[in-house]
Amino acid sequence: MYALPKTVIDNLITAVLVLDNDLLVTYANPAAEQLFCQSSRRLRGHSFTKLVKQSSIDLFVVKETIKNGQGLTDSDVTLEINGRQRKVELSASRLIYEHCTSILLEIRTISHQQRISNELSQKEQQHAARELVRRLAHEIKNPLGGLRGAAQLLEKMLPDPSLKEYTRIIIEQADRLRKLVDRLLEPQKPGRLQQENIHVILEKVRLLVTLESQCINVVRDYDPSLPNIEINPEQMEQAMLNVINNAAQILQDTKNAKITLRTRTKHQVIINGQRHRLTARIDISDNGPGIATELQDTLFYPMISGRLGGTGLGLSITRNLIEQHKGKIYVNSQPGNTTFTILLPIQCVGENHE
């Protein structure tokens, strides 16, 4: 163990680790003990690559700090620690002590306020992207009617019936674009709300998916104590179906494909800056290849898709529908485990509607 100035190091809220050339822990301060839920004695000798199951950066790049003497700093790193993903700021620098060269690793968890700020920033960016797409959709919609009408008139005037095949193609493609535009211009407010059991909706969606993809095992892990939620059943069914359908399509080439539907109640949850005493948490997990890291922050934006041939509209529509219900959806993904989490406020008895 290194004779570091304990009165300073032990009182830091930053987790501090010292690693040797093989990335084995030789020192951990109390903040590191708290982060990894292990004592300093138990942490010593453990490989950092085993303490962190998944990482958004290559941990072996950290070893380069010993070779070249240049520090490494990343303010947006995702680490899986004790089965839980954490957003952290990570810094690595070379440490020379008593003629030994080691790595000084500092890990700072991103504060709750910063997470809220990031969420609000992403929400504003998504709103701007959605408005841009909606305006573009309006511009596309206007000439579509004229295009379709012109094709119909041309079809009536053509002397050769065999040529009508081409006008039918024009009309069909115009209709397809019209439907796409209509989806982009869907109302931004929820329909009629009613008290509904979310498990009823999940079961409808589960049945639809299993009928279409019989090779996929859909596992249910429901909390029977979950109370009813005030929602629009049709819109919520569409939101759930978009997510589960995406998972099913991605799993088509996966052996032992499995989707897990899990529900739980959560207390004192903050959604978009507002605290809710009781919320429903719905997790939709699959064991597919995962979502590329660079796509995860923009996955819910219009026209962004992680699936070959995808339109990029399904998850954007889902997020819009969830937000209309004052809820939130986010994703955590790594190879073999992708989980979409939906949080929906539960209106407690005696609470006033806003």
Side-chain angles (χ1 to χ4, degrees), residues 11 28 37 46 58 84 112 122 145 194 207 254 285 289 306 313 322:
N11 287 287
C37 299
H46 273 72
D58 184 357
R84 179 182 174 188
H112 184 66
Q122 288 184 9
Q194 65 185 57
L207 180 60
T254 302
S285 305
L313 292 178
I322 296 298

Side-chain angles (χ1 to χ4, degrees), residues 12-276:
L12 289 177
I13 61 174
T14 299
V16 176
L17 297 172
V18 177
L19 311 178
D20 66 11
N21 294 333
D22 297 318
L23 298 183
L24 300 179
V25 177
T26 60
Y27 171 81
N29 74 338
E33 294 178 322
Q34 184 176 4
L35 177 64
F36 291 95
C37 299
Q38 295 187 46
S39 67
S40 177
R41 180 178 58 83
R42 295 193 63 181
L43 285 171
R44 284 198 298 273
H46 273 72
S47 171
F48 184 71
T49 57
K50 292 184 178 180
L51 291 172
V52 177
K53 300 297 183 184
Q54 296 284 342
S55 172
S56 61
I57 64 169
D58 184 357
L59 295 178
F60 286 97
V61 174
V62 174
K63 296 182 70 172
E64 297 299 314
T65 60
I66 292 180
K67 295 181 181 179
N68 57 32
Q70 296 180 350
L72 168 70
T73 300
D74 195 327
S75 60
D76 186 17
V77 177
T78 302
L79 301 178
E80 184 183 334
I81 302 172
N82 297 325
R84 179 182 174 188
Q85 289 195 339
R86 294 175 178 268
K87 290 282 190 180
V88 302
E89 297 175 359
L90 186 145
S91 299
S93 56
R94 186 166 65 171
L95 175 67
I96 300 177
Y97 181 77
E98 292 184 351
H99 308 293
C100 294
T101 303
S102 302
I103 300 170
L104 179 65
L105 200 63
E106 301 171 68
I107 304 174
R108 292 173 289 275
T109 56
I110 297 178
S111 67
H112 184 66
Q113 190 61 39
Q114 189 172 350
R115 285 199 301 271
I116 293 175
S117 177
N118 290 342
E119 288 175 2
L120 292 176
S121 176
Q122 288 184 9
K123 185 177 179 181
E124 290 174 359
Q125 292 175 12
Q126 198 231 5
H127 177 73
R130 188 165 59 231
E131 284 303 308
L132 177 62
V133 171
R134 284 174 60 81
R135 291 178 185 178
L136 180 62
H138 272 296
E139 295 299 319
I140 295 172
K141 189 173 183 178
N142 291 332
L144 274 180
L147 179 66
R148 191 183 193 281
Q152 287 177 316
L153 289 174
L154 180 61
E155 185 177 48
K156 295 177 181 179
M157 298 173 63
L158 288 174
D160 187 349
S162 64
L163 296 176
K164 294 183 179 181
E165 177 184 353
Y166 301 106
T167 56
R168 280 196 294 271
I169 291 174
I170 296 174
I171 293 170
E172 288 173 1
Q173 293 304 307
D175 289 341
R176 185 182 66 83
L177 284 174
R178 180 64 178 262
K179 290 178 181 178
L180 176 62
V181 169
D182 286 342
R183 290 176 67 185
L184 293 172
L185 297 173
E186 283 182 343
Q188 301 298 302
K189 295 182 180 180
R192 185 185 181 92
L193 302 179
Q194 65 185 57
Q195 291 290 328
E196 185 63 81
N197 188 327
I198 196 68
H199 299 140
V200 173
I201 293 173
L202 287 172
E203 281 299 287
K204 288 181 180 179
V205 175
R206 184 187 68 85
L207 180 60
L208 289 172
V209 172
T210 52
L211 287 175
E212 293 181 6
S213 307
Q214 298 181 7
C215 60
I216 297 176
N217 180 25
V218 182
V219 179
R220 291 167 288 180
D221 181 9
Y222 295 159
D223 178 0
S225 67
L226 192 69
N228 290 347
I229 310 172
E230 192 173 56
I231 55 177
N232 179 284
E234 290 184 3
Q235 290 181 338
M236 196 54 58
E237 182 178 335
Q238 182 63 55
M240 302 291 181
L241 185 61
N242 287 346
V243 177
I244 299 175
N245 258 343
N246 267 10
Q249 290 167 2
I250 289 171
L251 289 173
Q252 290 299 323
D253 298 324
T254 302
K255 292 183 179 179
N256 302 317
K258 182 175 73 171
I259 297 175
T260 302
L261 308 179
R262 183 181 299 106
T263 62
R264 296 291 187 270
T265 54
K266 302 291 288 185
H267 298 270
Q268 302 298 337
V269 175
I270 294 179
I271 301 176
N272 298 326
Q274 183 177 355
R275 184 182 296 275
H276 298 273

Side-chain angles (χ1 to χ4, degrees), residues 275-293:
R275 184 182 296 275
H276 298 273
R277 287 198 297 166
L278 189 64
T279 62
R281 172 171 175 156
I282 301 103
D283 289 329
I284 301 170
S285 305
D286 69 71
N287 62 342
I291 301 168
T293 303

